[in-house]
Amino acid sequence: MTQKLIIIGAGMATGRALEQLIETAPDAYDVTLFNAEPRGNYNRIMLSPVLSGDKTYAEIVTHSAEWYEENGVTCRFGERVANVDRDRKVVVAENGDELPYDKLMFGTGSNPFIIPMPGHDLDGVIAYRDLEDTELMMSMGDSNKVVVIGGGLLGLEAAAGMAARGVDVTVVHIMGHLMERQLDEAAGYLLRKALVDKGITVRCQANSKQILGENGKVRALQLDDGTELPCDLLVMAVGIRPNVKLAQDIGLAVGKGIHVDDQMLTSDPDILAVGECVEHDGAIFGLVAPLYDQAKVAAKTLLDEPATFVQKEISTKLKVTGCDLFSAGDFAEGEDREDIVFRDPARGVYRRLVLQNNTIIGAVMYGDTADSNWFFGLIKDATDVSDMRETLIFGPAYQGGTPMDPLAAVAALPDDAEICGCNGISKGQIVAAINAGADTLDAVKATSKAGSSCGSCVGLVTQVLGITLGDDFKMPEIETICKCSDLSHDDVRKLIIAKELKSIPQIMQELDWTSPGGCHVCRPALNYYLVCAWPGEEVDDGKSRFINERVHANIQKDGTYSVVPRMLGGITTPDELRAIADAADKFNVPTVKVTGGQRIDLLGIKKEDLPAIWYDLGEAGMMSGQAYAKGLRTVKTCVGTDHCRFGTQDSTGLGIKIESAMWGAWSPHKFKLAVSGCPRNCAESTCKDLGIICVDSGYQILVGGAAGLDLLEAEMLVTVATEQEAIDVSCAFYQLYREGAQYLHRPYKWIAKVGLDWVKEQIVDDPENCAALAERFRYSQQFYQVDPWAERARKGVDAHEFTPLADFTKVAAE
Amino acid sequence: MTDFIDIGSVTDIPVQGARLVRTQHGDIAIFHTASGKFYAVDEYLPGKAGPLSNGIQHGEKVTDPMRNWVFDLATGEAQGADEGCVGTYEMKVEEGRLLLSRDAIANQVAAE
Ligand SMILES: Cc1cc2nc3c(=O)[nH]c(=O)nc-3n(C[C@H](O)[C@H](O)[C@H](O)COP(=O)(O)OP(=O)(O)OC[C@H]3O[C@@H](n4cnc5c(N)ncnc54)[C@H](O)[C@@H]3O)c2cc1C
Ligand code: HEM
Ligand code: SF4
Ligand code: FES
């Protein structure tokens, strides 16, 4: 006698099981198929092409009405199974019909997770799971705005599909980069770039607070920083949960999913389960490949044939419409793991392999995934790759072949990219000079002038020589920025400008970084170079700064901090001193010291107290003295003509004016100044980065002094007649140093490299250039003259730095 | 089975940042790496390193702000020539919440 099989859910997993069953034993079962969706089995994966308009629904139907009819399947579509009576072995449909079964199969799939935030039940808040959701998204057009919560695979598919229809889409993602579970930061950056190119707005690290509505319909999403993102439709794609409600209600064993054994049997031997609703050996499933394996096993089990379901390593070749992505295995860094990274900035390609014990355990690829199967094979088989290590990353085609060009970043520059800023020489002009016979660096310098001035472009000029001449040219060794890159500091700075690079992940991708995310050596340097190159463009990344600059105070050896308020020119008032004294009392400051920079240091302050003490000092009109900064520190002064009988000019006043113009600026290293009222030099101007000595005829400006581990006397740059000129030249010099010196070089080191004569040429001999430098400095200062203490004490900036995440010291033992 | 305690949301710690969990036996630094992982390690290795939450976080490592030692966040081991190991604690993320092993805080509390 034919047995009765009832299937709950006409999805991809049960669909495959049904095919297997009918193919092997068409008459074994009399099948009834329930489906809550008002249709049969279709290829859910292809909903995205339907959304983008590349396919129609009819094209993605897996089983048509005719197929069900031919195979004798009784369809009850649009009907949910309401209950199962296991004792009587009957299924109860929504309309009350009772159907007896011999075998029952669950394939109820998953439910999209809806974050229970206020407004989640408004009209126009949907998930992305079925045809109804897809149709709603397809009804959006170029006059609509849609917000997608979730920067994982589904959310991005939804966003890309709607963007293809001209919809204004914003993706809101809680983590730091897109698809963080499958991609590392660099690949996430490339993906983001590709999506932005499609017109999609991407907001990472954005926490949704509530959904705002109007007349019961969604109006906007509000983030927890208060931003409102208006929208006509809100798609939530933040994950799925196995749909286990019915199974649970009828008492089957359920954990995260419906428990099944290796034969796909649930805790009731007459009930099977397949698909996303199951949990097998602790794992749940979200991709179709393992579901198809389950379906085969389930069909065999139904026919009493032996079969065993085995979980396999899953690689994902991810297809976000128009972006090539691949990830497989485990790609977190670890102590015993090594990375091999390959980037081809010109083609937007990124590849990373993670190796452990000479085998590949993880791979991430973006842009060119042609070799992904080969890599996946090596992961799966745990192949020993020690023999091919050198060329492994280039894929199978290169095994035994030649390695790639290490100069890719420079090769990718367009001909009109400026290489030598001093002389205004482009890459094309250098190539022309080389082709005309200049085959050494000196010859190029002589004929094109590139590299003949400050010399900071020599690294790039050499690379252009290398690219143009190929093997005929031997590249000299250069000192690289750190072990993550083949480029020197100077090269990196120039390329940041030439290629308009504006974030650290972008630099790392476009300039071929060999580590996935940089290190503590290159990150602070890159951050400074961005801050200097792109004032006003919000490029500063606090997490790439050393602790003192991150929290705007100097860390002390016991982990407490010191606080030094600014005293312009070393001048203070009784009110300021009273406020400092009050703060010292209030916060029990153990040490109050007069610094070498003519101001007062409060030492031994707890990190949590910093914003509060800053608040009090701010109330008295004081701001950060930036005694912690690689940036402007102090301008020491003497009392000058106001009080001293030797004084020739108002040294105190000039010091105050210079410090007022310069405070807040960041630079490669700290920058200290002094202004003395006469050559007796009471402010010690002759050992400063920039010192001014007032004389009867005007102001002598000295640069490049040092009084630290090295002791150096500052050298005369120029003598100027007026106070204004003194200020302008000081700003111009500071800017020249800011733009040119390598990170962590004090001015004297930089001058030793470029030569004082060159500095004079730029500033003294070229008044126009001097004015332009001063102007660039002033432009930049509009963005950096913001008191960081006030922002933290009053506006709550970086509050996470100053408060613990959780405090269990006070709770009693539980 | 390990028992976990909720210490906050994944968005409470910026990427490549760290926050402290204060306990009666000392501070624990919780790190959030660019790969989206979270780690819990002791803030100090007495006499050798810390406060680690103030260091620069890169890869799955952190560089000590005082002496530039680099520690692996997963194992707590100092890298390279330096020798030392900071304590690490089990933690996990569920539905956007950060969960720290209760042992990290409770054992010591109970021991008092
Ligand atoms: C847009 C999109 C893109 C995707 N892309 C990919 C991809 O590229 N690669 C990949 O591997 N996977 C992809 N997936 C995942 C894949 O589609 C699923 O893993 C697969 O569909 C799961 O199959 P299933 O049979 O378990 O569940 P489903 O296909 O979801 O079927 C379950 C069915 O059961 C019905 N049902 C539930 N409860 C009841 C009840 N009580 N009574 C009657 N019927 C009920 C539901 O209505 C549903 O139709 C994608 C998913 C989506 C939504
Ligand atoms: C971590 C190491 C250091 C700490 C914590 C530190 C701290 C300080 C502080 C707080 C001041 C007072 C500055 C002010 O008022 O703004 C100061 C002044 C000074 N520091 Fe340092 N410093 C350090 C390293 C150095 C180094 C490496 C040098 C030399 C290259 C140096 C040379 C000076 C000089 C010369 C002054 C006095 C400035 C003046 O008289 O104009 N310091 N230092
Ligand atoms: S530097 Fe000259 S003007 Fe200034 S205090 Fe000393 S002696 Fe007086
Ligand atoms: S930039 Fe080429 S010599 Fe200065």
Side-chain angles (χ1 to χ4, degrees):
Chain A
M1 199 189 85
T2 4
Q3 300 198 76
K4 285 195 188 316
L5 169 65
I6 297 185
I7 302 180
I8 312 176
M12 300 189 66
T14 58
R16 179 58 62 96
L18 203 50
E19 282 173 15
Q20 297 277 330
L21 188 64
I22 289 170
E23 205 168 288
T24 331
D27 303 319
Y29 284 95
D30 174 8
V31 182
T32 303
L33 179 59
F34 277 89
N35 200 21
E37 282 186 66
R39 59 186 70 83
N41 180 19
Y42 59 94
N43 189 346
R44 201 175 292 287
I45 298 179
M46 299 307 258
L47 283 174
S48 296
V50 171
L51 173 59
S52 62
D54 293 333
K55 282 212 158 44
T56 62
Y57 171 66
E59 288 176 89
I60 70 163
V61 169
T62 315
H63 296 149
S64 62
E66 294 78 54
W67 186 88
Y68 289 120
E69 200 179 318
E70 272 164 34
N71 293 296
V73 177
T74 312
C75 301
R76 302 201 49 163
F77 295 156
E79 283 188 71
R80 189 177 289 278
V81 170
N83 200 0
V84 177
D85 184 337
R86 293 202 284 146
D87 295 334
R88 290 163 51 221
K89 289 183 86 170
V90 292
V91 156
V92 186
E94 259 176 328
N95 64 1
D97 283 359
E98 295 201 348
L99 289 79
Y101 68 83
D102 296 300
K103 297 278 176 194
L104 183 63
M105 177 151 68
F106 272 80
T108 47
S110 309
N111 291 324
F113 182 60
I114 298 286
I115 310 169
M117 66 173 111
H120 70 274
D121 44 7
L122 287 166
D123 224 18
V125 177
I126 62 168
Y128 185 17
R129 180 73 193 173
D130 56 25
L131 186 63
E132 279 72 23
D133 298 329
T134 312
E135 281 171 345
L136 266 171
M137 288 191 258
M138 289 166 72
S139 69
M140 295 285 118
D142 50 17
S143 59
N144 293 110
K145 285 188 167 47
V146 176
V147 168
V148 176
I149 304 182
L153 187 64
L154 272 191
L156 298 182
E157 280 280 340
M162 285 184 282
R165 297 180 167 269
V167 182
D168 179 350
V169 186
T170 303
V171 174
V172 174
H173 190 47
I174 193 166
M175 304 304 271
H177 67 269
L178 297 172
M179 292 182 67
E180 77 287 344
R181 289 217 314 259
Q182 295 91 351
L183 302 178
D184 60 7
E185 200 184 9
Y189 152 74
L190 283 168
L191 176 60
R192 179 189 187 126
K193 185 169 145 186
L195 294 174
V196 169
D197 285 346
K198 290 182 201 292
I200 298 171
T201 309
V202 180
R203 301 180 73 117
C204 286
Q205 266 214 298
N207 203 2
S208 306
K209 184 172 173 204
Q210 58 174 327
I211 304 170
L212 306 173
E214 214 169 60
N215 307 326
K217 208 185 155 331
V218 62
R219 173 175 67 79
L221 174 70
Q222 190 183 46
L223 304 179
D224 65 2
D225 65 1
T227 317
E228 281 187 22
L229 306 169
C231 58
D232 307 310
L233 187 70
L234 187 138
V235 183
M236 236 190 254
V238 294
I240 53 172
R241 294 288 129 81
N243 178 1
V244 297
K245 172 99 183 39
L246 180 60
Q248 207 159 28
D249 288 349
I250 64 169
L252 294 180
V254 168
K256 281 178 282 183
I258 307 172
H259 282 298
V260 292
D261 63 11
D262 292 349
Q263 280 67 50
M264 306 318 291
L265 291 171
T266 66
S267 55
D268 178 334
D270 289 322
I271 305 183
L272 298 85
V274 291
E276 281 182 346
C277 60
V278 311
E279 175 179 339
H280 174 263
D281 201 7
I284 56 174
F285 306 85
L287 294 170
V288 293
L291 308 190
Y292 287 164
D293 288 345
Q294 294 174 0
K296 268 187 233 169
V297 172
K300 290 224 160 91
T301 303
L302 281 171
L303 297 172
D304 278 334
E305 289 174 31
T308 305
F309 171 65
V310 200
Q311 290 178 34
K312 294 188 190 134
E313 170 94 25
I314 311 179
S315 75
T316 27
K317 202 158 188 169
L318 309 159
K319 197 76 201 146
V320 175
T321 318
C323 310
D324 251 340
L325 296 165
F326 171 86
S327 88
D330 183 355
F331 48 86
E333 286 178 45
E335 189 177 4
D336 49 352
R337 296 179 176 183
E338 271 177 280
D339 283 297
I340 305 181
V341 176
F342 166 73
R343 311 185 193 233
D344 181 344
R347 291 192 301 137
V349 169
Y350 171 80
R351 280 183 177 185
R352 170 162 164 226
L353 300 177
V354 183
L355 270 64
Q356 193 172 29
N357 301 328
N358 291 322
T359 60
I360 309 180
I361 58 162
V364 185
M365 287 179 211
Y366 186 96
D368 173 7
T369 53
D371 298 328
S372 55
N373 288 335
W374 184 72
F375 286 114
F376 183 57
L378 298 178
I379 295 178
K380 220 174 43 187
D381 306 338
T383 311
D384 187 326
V385 294
S386 27
D387 289 346
M388 25 179 181
R389 258 209 73 128
E390 292 299 305
T391 51
L392 184 64
I393 193 88
F394 307 116
Y398 285 88
Q399 294 319 308
T402 45
M404 287 286 292
D405 181 2
L407 307 174
V410 180
L413 280 179
D415 273 352
D416 59 2
E418 185 175 87
I419 300 271
C420 175
C422 289
N423 299 292
I425 309 295
S426 69
K427 177 181 165 193
Q429 287 168 295
I430 297 172
V431 172
I434 299 167
N435 288 338
D439 58 358
T440 64
L441 184 58
D442 285 340
V444 171
K445 277 188 188 169
T447 54
S448 76
K449 292 279 172 291
S452 60
S453 303
C454 75
S456 70
C457 59
V458 164
L460 288 184
V461 174
T462 315
Q463 303 209 20
V464 174
L465 267 162
I467 295 160
T468 315
L469 298 176
D471 291 345
D472 296 343
F473 184 79
K474 196 177 165 314
M475 293 288 292
E477 292 279 321
I478 54 163
E479 197 187 322
T480 63
I481 180 165
C482 71
K483 62 186 182 337
C484 308
S485 172
D486 295 332
L487 296 165
S488 70
H489 281 269
D490 286 339
D491 294 350
V492 170
R493 291 201 82 166
K494 287 190 181 295
L495 290 166
I496 285 173
I497 310 260
K499 297 173 77 94
E500 294 194 26
L501 307 178
K502 295 189 181 172
S503 75
I504 290 177
Q506 193 183 13
I507 296 177
M508 292 183 176
Q509 172 59 24
E510 302 295 334
L511 302 186
D512 225 347
W513 240 242
T514 55
S515 68
C519 67
H520 65 277
V521 179
C522 56
R523 287 231 323 262
L526 296 181
N527 190 58
Y528 167 67
Y529 295 153
L530 289 170
V531 162
C532 179
W534 312 113
E537 305 208 20
E538 289 189 38
V539 290
D540 200 351
D541 170 26
K543 267 86 66 197
S544 295
R545 287 184 175 278
F546 293 116
I547 184 61
N548 289 354
E549 294 188 351
R550 202 186 318 148
V551 299
H552 295 275
N554 297 51
I555 194 167
Q556 306 297 316
K557 68 178 201 181
D558 62 355
T560 64
Y561 287 81
S562 84
V563 163
V564 185
R566 194 170 287 288
M567 287 178 182
L568 296 171
I571 293 293
T572 183
T573 64
D575 279 344
E576 283 186 356
L577 292 172
R578 256 187 294 271
I580 291 174
D582 288 344
D585 277 342
K586 179 166 164 188
F587 294 93
N588 286 323
V589 173
T591 309
V592 180
K593 181 175 186 321
V594 174
T595 75
Q598 297 189 344
R599 41 200 193 164
I600 293 175
D601 195 348
L602 302 169
L603 294 115
I605 293 165
K606 291 201 286 293
K607 199 178 186 188
E608 292 95 297
D609 286 341
L610 288 172
I613 195 168
W614 294 338
Y615 185 90
D616 287 4
L617 295 171
E619 287 292 278
M622 282 176 277
M623 62 175 170
S624 169
Q626 276 133 344
Y628 46 79
K630 312 257 179 278
L632 183 92
R633 292 287 181 86
T634 62
V635 182
K636 300 199 341 178
T637 65
C638 74
V639 291
T641 41
D642 275 357
H643 301 280
C644 178
R645 63 201 157 103
F646 298 113
T648 59
Q649 312 280 358
D650 177 13
S651 50
T652 321
L654 175 56
I656 292 173
K657 283 179 190 151
I658 293 181
E659 193 166 347
S660 304
M662 288 189 176
W663 71 266
W666 299 103
S667 37
H669 210 305
K670 50 191 173 185
F671 195 70
K672 297 178 179 174
L673 299 85
V675 184
S676 299
C678 82
R680 286 165 194 78
N681 192 19
C682 293
E684 297 158 344
S685 303
T686 46
C687 61
K688 291 286 170 283
D689 297 300
L690 187 148
I692 296 180
I693 294 182
C694 304
V695 289
D696 285 326
S697 59
Y699 304 83
Q700 298 178 338
I701 299 180
L702 316 163
V703 296
L709 293 171
D710 291 320
L711 181 59
L712 273 177
E713 191 177 337
E715 290 183 90
M716 177 78 82
L717 177 66
V718 63
T719 302
V720 294
T722 66
E723 201 176 68
Q724 189 57 47
E725 284 173 279
I727 297 170
D728 288 346
V729 167
S730 300
C731 290
F733 175 80
Y734 193 21
Q735 183 68 7
L736 192 66
Y737 163 64
R738 293 178 71 236
E739 290 177 2
Q742 101 173 37
Y743 190 63
L744 298 186
H745 275 190
R746 287 290 282 271
Y748 72 92
K749 274 206 180 161
W750 163 70
I751 292 173
K753 198 167 129 188
V754 296
L756 186 61
D757 287 343
W758 177 81
V759 176
K760 284 183 180 163
E761 272 169 39
Q762 299 295 309
I763 291 178
V764 185
D765 306 345
D766 189 346
E768 239 173 75
N769 190 42
C770 178
L773 282 163
E775 183 44 42
R776 285 208 290 284
F777 182 69
R778 289 197 183 103
Y779 175 80
S780 168
Q781 284 297 82
Q782 346 163 30
F783 306 104
Y784 294 112
Q785 286 203 320
V786 177
D787 175 22
W789 289 358
E791 295 214 294
R792 282 154 185 80
R794 281 151 211 275
K795 295 192 198 151
V797 170
D798 283 355
H800 61 87
E801 291 285 0
F802 306 102
T803 43
L805 182 62
D807 190 344
F808 296 106
T809 51
K810 295 180 190 77
V811 291
E814 284 168 85
Chain B
M1 213 168 107
T2 319
D3 189 14
F4 287 89
I5 185 162
D6 189 317
I7 52 170
S9 151
V10 291
T11 48
D12 289 341
I13 309 179
V15 175
Q16 297 186 319
R19 301 271 306 265
L20 288 183
V21 170
R22 295 211 186 288
T23 78
Q24 295 198 337
H25 70 287
D27 293 345
I28 298 174
I30 313 292
F31 288 88
H32 182 182
T33 70
S35 64
K37 291 203 164 58
F38 291 84
Y39 298 94
V41 306
D42 277 333
E43 173 80 331
Y44 283 96
L45 176 57
K48 288 190 168 171
L52 291 179
S53 68
N54 292 321
I56 289 187
Q57 199 285 310
H58 49 99
E60 313 297 312
K61 303 188 187 83
V62 65
T63 301
D64 173 48
M66 298 298 206
R67 300 163 194 79
N68 271 337
W69 286 23
V70 178
F71 291 90
D72 183 304
L73 293 171
T75 62
E77 293 283 352
Q79 308 287 288
D82 300 316
E83 271 181 43
C85 187
V86 284
T88 59
Y89 304 94
E90 198 179 333
M91 68 176 297
K92 62 180 181 181
V93 178
E94 262 173 25
E95 288 173 21
R97 303 298 302 177
L98 298 173
L99 305 178
L100 176 65
S101 151
R102 198 177 278 273
D103 296 345
I105 32 202
N107 275 354
Q108 281 75 6
V109 176
E112 289 214 283

